């Protein structure tokens, strides 16, 4: 089973989402399906089809959440850092740009920090930044082409 490396905040947020989807949201969609059935023939009922599609997507998300929570390894971010890694917010400057961009390096896209975009370690930028120090530059091979960035700052989440 693949482990999901999560912060305590992400773990708690996912458990809350699972609880909400497994209880309240399931009841809401059930009610929607029942109301749509009352409109008659379900073979040509767009509202019924939409409700069933929503139910299928929600059930898939519930299974995904259950898997992530079951396989979760809760990690804490380091108090200080001098190397880019999971749980670290990296400020970078792309060649030719003047504005810094901040990203949270994370094992999973489920990690979130307000005001900061999340990139996974498996993404081209995330894997290129992994292990880099302030002042180091790296070339990133992305689907849209190659580009270079310089690490300007590192801080714990």
């Amino acid at each position: 089973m693949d482990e999901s490396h999560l912060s305590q905040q992400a773990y708690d947020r996912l458990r809350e989402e699972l609880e909400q989807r497994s209880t309240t949201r399931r009841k809401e969609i059930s009610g929607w399906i029942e109301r749509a059935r009352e409109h008659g023939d379900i073979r040509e009922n767009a509202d019924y089809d939409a409700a069933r599609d929503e139910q299928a997507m929600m059930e898939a998300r519930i299974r995904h959440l259950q898997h992530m929570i079951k396989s979760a390894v809760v990690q804490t971010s380091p108090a200080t850092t001098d190397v880019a890694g999971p749980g670290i917010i990296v400020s970078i400057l792309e060649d030719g740009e003047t504005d810094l961009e901040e990203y949270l390096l994370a094992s999973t896209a489920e990690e979130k920090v307000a005001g900061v975009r999340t990139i996974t370690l498996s993404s081209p930028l995330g894997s290129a930044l992994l292990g880099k120090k302030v002042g180091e530059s790296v070339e990133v091979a992305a689907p849209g082409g190659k580009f270079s960035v310089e690490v300007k700052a590192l801080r714990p989440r």
Side-chain angles (χ1 to χ4, degrees):
M1 181 184 321
D2 296 290
E3 294 178 338
S4 300
H5 294 271
L6 300 169
S7 65
Q8 186 65 53
Q9 296 91 344
Y11 180 82
D12 293 343
R13 185 176 41 78
L14 294 175
R15 287 196 47 104
E16 287 175 24
E17 181 183 349
L18 177 61
E19 176 66 22
Q20 187 269 338
R21 285 180 179 271
S22 298
T23 57
T24 307
R25 190 69 182 130
R26 267 187 177 150
K27 288 177 187 174
E28 290 171 356
I29 292 176
S30 256
W32 182 12
I33 290 170
E34 287 303 315
R35 285 187 304 279
R37 279 186 183 151
E38 292 171 1
H39 296 295
D41 187 2
I42 63 173
R43 289 177 294 171
E44 296 181 20
N45 187 329
D47 196 35
Y48 178 79
D49 289 342
R52 294 290 299 187
D53 288 347
E54 181 69 21
Q55 182 184 44
M57 288 187 298
M58 187 192 61
E59 292 299 328
R61 178 66 177 165
I62 287 172
R63 285 189 302 276
H64 178 71
L65 290 168
Q66 288 170 332
H67 173 74
M68 287 188 67
I69 290 168
K70 183 178 180 181
S71 63
V73 175
V74 178
Q75 296 179 292
T76 57
S77 292
T80 61
T81 187
D82 59 348
V83 176
I88 302 300
I89 296 173
V90 182
S91 298
I92 60 171
L93 185 62
E94 188 174 342
D95 279 351
E97 297 292 325
T98 57
D99 294 330
L100 284 177
E101 295 181 29
E102 282 193 324
Y103 295 96
L104 170 66
L105 283 178
S107 298
T108 173
E110 298 293 341
E111 292 290 340
K112 309 257 187 274
V113 170
V116 178
R117 294 188 343 205
T118 299
I119 57 172
T120 63
L121 300 174
S122 61
S123 71
L125 180 57
S127 62
L129 290 172
L130 189 61
K132 300 299 181 254
K133 297 180 179 181
V134 172
E136 288 188 311
S137 292
V138 63
E139 188 171 284
V140 180
K146 292 183 180 181
F147 63 97
S148 295
V149 298
E150 181 183 351
V151 177
K152 292 294 195 177
L154 299 168
R155 66 182 167 92
R157 85 179 6 259

